[in-house]
Amino acid sequence: MSDPASRPIAVLGGTGPAGAGLALRWARSGENILIGSRDAQRAHEAAEKIKREAGNQSRVSGMENSAACAAADILVLTVPFEGQATLLKQLKPAIRPGSILIDATVALAAGVGGRASRTLGVWQGSSAQQAAELVPKGVSVAAAFHNLSAEILNGDEALDCDVIVCSDDANASQLARSLAAKIPGVRAIDGGKLENARTLEQITALLIGLNIRHKGHSGIRITGLPDGAYV
Ligand SMILES: NC(=O)c1ccc[n+]([C@@H]2O[C@H](COP(=O)([O-])OP(=O)(O)OC[C@H]3O[C@@H](n4cnc5c(N)ncnc54)[C@H](OP(=O)(O)O)[C@@H]3O)[C@@H](O)[C@H]2O)c1
């Protein structure tokens, strides 16, 4: 794998609010961002917008999703659950061996005409576990960023939210936590195995319900852990 300091981060589905918000925050922190889309022109336009918001010094470019996979070994997946499996199957040949995929997908019932404040049952247990089944052998998956509000990510304020990272691979978990900690206001916490991602997704559904009920942008904070548990 290349030098972590110069490794680009490909945000697949980065034209949507969740991916664009993460990309904006990482671009501001100096990371080299590749916005991925099913359409290269849409990716280019989204990248230009993020670059304008992050400042001229920022490194943001846009390309079709498979080109982004071929150019990066850090992949962040921010697409709706209903498109996740098809997209990963399409991208499989382009994903580089040894890559780390960080999945932020939430299996919300809204995607199939249900309520956004409810999750779908996923056969594998969670969206992230489904992703882990679909990536090429040797590619590690971490689940993270489910509980961050895209609306706040796309603004200038610090987030008031912890990011819990779940993964079966220590390096993938470490990488996701270091990226989380680059977002102002975020503390990253090791949430254990990938199977715990199902709880992260359910928390998102709960937060959406709270946002509707109370008209806000809720997040979560975990208290009571020793200082060393927070990155
Ligand atoms: N919004 C939030 O606050 C938030 C917070 C945490 C997690 N999440 C999760 O993060 C993911 C993305 O959220 P979002 O609100 O940004 O979603 P979104 O706007 O619906 O979709 C993001 C991008 O995914 C691509 N896409 C849409 N349908 C697709 C399909 N069928 N196959 C492949 N790509 C498709 C589109 O990009 P192109 O058309 O350019 O390819 C779109 O711009 C979701 O799973 C969501 O549950 C969202």
Side-chain angles (χ1 to χ4, degrees), residues 174-215:
Q174 171 70 43
L175 174 74
R177 279 180 280 141
S178 69
L179 289 177
K182 287 175 187 283
I183 301 170
V186 165
R187 299 180 307 179
I189 302 169
D190 180 355
K193 286 182 169 295
L194 194 66
E195 66 186 33
N196 294 337
R198 76 175 71 188
T199 309
L200 299 183
E201 291 186 37
Q202 285 171 358
I203 292 171
T204 302
L206 176 68
L207 295 178
I208 292 171
L210 291 174
N211 292 344
I212 293 168
R213 180 176 297 268
H214 300 288
K215 304 196 185 338

Coordinates of all heavy atoms in Angstrom, one line a residue, residues 174-215:
Q174 N -8.6 1.2 12.5 CA -7.7 2.3 12.8 C -7.8 3.4 11.7 O -7.9 4.6 12.1 CB -6.3 1.7 12.8 CG -5.2 2.7 13.0 CD -5.2 3.4 14.3 OE1 -5.3 2.7 15.3 NE2 -5.0 4.7 14.4
L175 N -7.8 3.0 10.5 CA -7.9 4.0 9.4 C -9.2 4.8 9.5 O -9.2 6.1 9.4 CB -7.8 3.3 8.0 CG -8.0 4.3 6.8 CD1 -6.7 5.2 6.6 CD2 -8.3 3.5 5.6
A176 N -10.3 4.1 9.7 CA -11.6 4.8 9.7 C -11.6 5.8 10.9 O -12.2 6.9 10.8 CB -12.7 3.8 9.8
R177 N -11.0 5.3 12.0 CA -11.1 6.2 13.2 C -10.2 7.4 13.0 O -10.5 8.5 13.4 CB -10.6 5.4 14.4 CG -11.7 4.6 15.0 CD -11.3 3.8 16.3 NE -10.6 2.6 15.9 CZ -9.5 2.1 16.5 NH1 -9.0 2.8 17.5 NH2 -9.0 1.0 16.1
S178 N -9.0 7.3 12.3 CA -8.2 8.4 12.0 C -8.9 9.4 11.1 O -8.8 10.6 11.3 CB -6.8 8.0 11.5 OG -6.9 7.5 10.2
L179 N -9.6 8.9 10.1 CA -10.4 9.8 9.2 C -11.5 10.5 10.0 O -11.8 11.7 9.8 CB -11.0 9.0 8.0 CG -9.9 8.5 7.0 CD1 -10.6 7.7 5.9 CD2 -9.2 9.7 6.4
A180 N -12.2 9.8 10.9 CA -13.3 10.4 11.7 C -12.7 11.5 12.5 O -13.4 12.6 12.6 CB -13.9 9.3 12.5
A181 N -11.6 11.3 13.1 CA -11.0 12.3 14.0 C -10.6 13.6 13.3 O -10.3 14.6 13.9 CB -9.8 11.7 14.8
K182 N -10.5 13.5 11.9 CA -10.1 14.7 11.2 C -11.3 15.7 11.0 O -11.2 16.8 10.5 CB -9.6 14.3 9.8 CG -8.2 13.7 9.8 CD -7.8 13.2 8.4 CE -6.5 12.5 8.5 NZ -5.3 13.4 8.6
I183 N -12.5 15.2 11.4 CA -13.7 16.0 11.3 C -13.9 16.8 12.6 O -14.0 16.2 13.6 CB -15.0 15.1 11.0 CG1 -14.8 14.3 9.7 CG2 -16.2 16.0 10.9 CD1 -15.8 13.2 9.5
P184 N -13.9 18.1 12.5 CA -14.0 18.9 13.7 C -15.2 18.5 14.6 O -16.3 18.4 14.1 CB -14.1 20.4 13.2 CG -13.5 20.3 11.8 CD -13.8 19.0 11.3
G185 N -14.9 18.3 15.9 CA -16.0 18.0 16.8 C -16.2 16.5 17.0 O -16.9 16.1 17.9
V186 N -15.6 15.7 16.1 CA -15.9 14.3 16.1 C -14.8 13.6 17.0 O -13.7 13.8 16.9 CB -15.9 13.7 14.7 CG1 -15.8 12.1 14.7 CG2 -17.2 14.1 14.0
R187 N -15.3 12.6 17.8 CA -14.4 11.7 18.5 C -14.7 10.3 17.9 O -15.9 10.0 17.7 CB -14.7 11.7 20.0 CG -14.4 13.0 20.7 CD -14.7 12.9 22.2 NE -16.0 12.3 22.5 CZ -16.5 12.0 23.7 NH1 -15.8 12.3 24.7 NH2 -17.7 11.5 23.8
A188 N -13.7 9.6 17.7 CA -13.9 8.2 17.1 C -13.6 7.2 18.2 O -12.8 7.3 19.1 CB -12.9 8.0 16.0
I189 N -14.5 6.1 18.1 CA -14.4 5.1 19.2 C -14.4 3.7 18.5 O -15.2 3.5 17.5 CB -15.7 5.2 20.1 CG1 -15.7 6.5 20.8 CG2 -15.6 4.1 21.1 CD1 -17.0 6.8 21.5
D190 N -13.6 2.8 18.9 CA -13.5 1.5 18.4 C -14.8 0.7 18.9 O -14.9 0.5 20.1 CB -12.3 0.8 18.9 CG -12.2 -0.7 18.4 OD1 -13.1 -1.2 17.7 OD2 -11.1 -1.3 18.6
G191 N -15.7 0.4 18.0 CA -16.9 -0.3 18.4 C -16.9 -1.8 18.2 O -18.0 -2.4 18.2
G192 N -15.7 -2.4 18.0 CA -15.6 -3.8 17.9 C -15.9 -4.4 16.6 O -15.7 -3.7 15.6
K193 N -16.5 -5.6 16.6 CA -16.6 -6.3 15.3 C -17.6 -5.7 14.3 O -18.5 -5.0 14.7 CB -17.1 -7.8 15.7 CG -16.0 -8.6 16.3 CD -16.6 -10.0 16.5 CE -15.5 -11.0 16.9 NZ -14.6 -11.2 15.8
L194 N -17.4 -6.1 13.1 CA -18.3 -5.6 12.0 C -19.8 -5.9 12.3 O -20.6 -5.2 11.9 CB -17.8 -6.2 10.6 CG -18.4 -5.5 9.4 CD1 -17.9 -4.1 9.3 CD2 -18.1 -6.3 8.1
E195 N -20.0 -7.0 12.9 CA -21.4 -7.4 13.2 C -22.1 -6.4 14.0 O -23.4 -6.3 14.0 CB -21.5 -8.8 13.8 CG -21.0 -8.9 15.2 CD -21.0 -10.3 15.7 OE1 -20.8 -11.3 14.9 OE2 -21.1 -10.5 17.0
N196 N -21.4 -5.5 14.8 CA -22.0 -4.5 15.6 C -22.6 -3.3 14.7 O -23.3 -2.4 15.2 CB -21.0 -3.9 16.6 CG -20.6 -5.0 17.6 OD1 -21.4 -5.9 17.8 ND2 -19.5 -4.8 18.2
A197 N -22.2 -3.4 13.4 CA -22.7 -2.3 12.5 C -24.2 -2.2 12.5 O -24.8 -1.2 12.2 CB -22.1 -2.5 11.1
R198 N -24.9 -3.4 12.7 CA -26.3 -3.3 12.6 C -26.9 -2.4 13.7 O -27.9 -1.7 13.4 CB -26.9 -4.8 12.8 CG -26.9 -5.3 14.2 CD -27.6 -6.6 14.3 NE -26.8 -7.7 13.7 CZ -27.2 -8.9 13.6 NH1 -28.5 -9.2 13.9 NH2 -26.5 -9.8 13.1
T199 N -26.2 -2.3 14.8 CA -26.7 -1.3 15.8 C -26.5 0.1 15.4 O -27.3 1.0 15.6 CB -26.0 -1.6 17.2 OG1 -26.1 -3.0 17.5 CG2 -26.6 -0.8 18.3
L200 N -25.4 0.4 14.7 CA -25.1 1.7 14.2 C -26.2 2.2 13.3 O -26.6 3.3 13.3 CB -23.7 1.8 13.5 CG -22.5 1.5 14.3 CD1 -21.3 1.6 13.4 CD2 -22.4 2.3 15.5
E201 N -26.6 1.2 12.4 CA -27.6 1.6 11.4 C -29.0 1.9 12.1 O -29.7 2.8 11.7 CB -27.8 0.4 10.4 CG -26.6 0.3 9.5 CD -26.8 -0.7 8.4 OE1 -27.9 -0.8 7.9 OE2 -25.8 -1.5 8.1
Q202 N -29.3 1.1 13.1 CA -30.5 1.3 13.8 C -30.5 2.6 14.6 O -31.5 3.3 14.7 CB -30.8 0.1 14.8 CG -31.3 -1.1 13.9 CD -31.4 -2.4 14.7 OE1 -31.1 -2.4 15.9 NE2 -31.8 -3.4 14.0
I203 N -29.3 3.0 15.1 CA -29.2 4.3 15.8 C -29.6 5.4 14.7 O -30.3 6.4 15.1 CB -27.8 4.5 16.4 CG1 -27.7 3.6 17.6 CG2 -27.7 6.0 16.8 CD1 -26.2 3.5 18.1
T204 N -29.1 5.3 13.5 CA -29.4 6.3 12.5 C -30.9 6.4 12.3 O -31.4 7.5 12.2 CB -28.7 5.9 11.1 OG1 -27.3 5.8 11.3 CG2 -29.0 7.0 10.1
A205 N -31.6 5.3 12.2 CA -33.0 5.3 12.0 C -33.7 6.1 13.2 O -34.6 6.9 13.0 CB -33.6 3.9 11.9
L206 N -33.2 5.8 14.4 CA -33.7 6.5 15.6 C -33.4 8.0 15.5 O -34.3 8.8 15.8 CB -33.0 5.9 16.9 CG -33.4 6.6 18.2 CD1 -34.9 6.3 18.5 CD2 -32.5 6.1 19.3
L207 N -32.2 8.4 15.1 CA -31.9 9.8 15.0 C -32.8 10.5 14.0 O -33.2 11.6 14.2 CB -30.4 10.0 14.6 CG -29.4 9.5 15.6 CD1 -27.9 9.7 15.1 CD2 -29.5 10.2 17.0
I208 N -33.1 9.8 12.8 CA -34.0 10.4 11.8 C -35.3 10.6 12.4 O -35.9 11.7 12.3 CB -34.0 9.5 10.6 CG1 -32.7 9.5 9.8 CG2 -35.2 10.0 9.6 CD1 -32.6 8.4 8.7
G209 N -35.8 9.7 13.2 CA -37.1 9.8 13.9 C -37.1 11.0 14.8 O -38.0 11.8 14.9
L210 N -36.0 11.1 15.6 CA -35.9 12.3 16.5 C -35.8 13.6 15.8 O -36.4 14.6 16.2 CB -34.6 12.1 17.4 CG -34.5 11.0 18.4 CD1 -33.2 10.9 19.0 CD2 -35.6 11.2 19.5
N211 N -35.1 13.6 14.6 CA -35.0 14.9 13.9 C -36.4 15.3 13.4 O -36.7 16.5 13.3 CB -34.1 14.7 12.7 CG -32.7 14.5 13.1 OD1 -32.3 14.8 14.2 ND2 -31.8 14.0 12.2
I212 N -37.2 14.3 12.9 CA -38.6 14.6 12.4 C -39.4 15.1 13.6 O -40.1 16.1 13.5 CB -39.2 13.3 11.8 CG1 -38.4 13.0 10.5 CG2 -40.7 13.6 11.5 CD1 -38.8 11.6 9.9
R213 N -39.3 14.4 14.7 CA -40.2 14.7 15.9 C -39.9 16.1 16.5 O -40.7 16.9 16.8 CB -40.0 13.6 17.0 CG -40.8 13.8 18.2 CD -40.6 12.7 19.2 NE -41.1 11.4 18.6 CZ -42.4 11.0 18.7 NH1 -43.2 11.6 19.5 NH2 -42.7 9.8 18.2
H214 N -38.5 16.3 16.6 CA -38.1 17.6 17.3 C -37.6 18.7 16.4 O -37.1 19.7 16.9 CB -37.1 17.2 18.4 CG -37.6 16.2 19.4 ND1 -38.5 16.6 20.3 CD2 -37.3 14.9 19.5 CE1 -38.8 15.5 21.1 NE2 -38.1 14.5 20.6
K215 N -37.5 18.4 15.1 CA -37.0 19.3 14.1 C -35.6 19.8 14.4 O -35.3 20.9 14.7 CB -38.0 20.5 14.0 CG -39.4 20.1 13.6 CD -40.2 21.2 13.2 CE -41.7 20.9 12.9 NZ -42.0 19.5 12.7

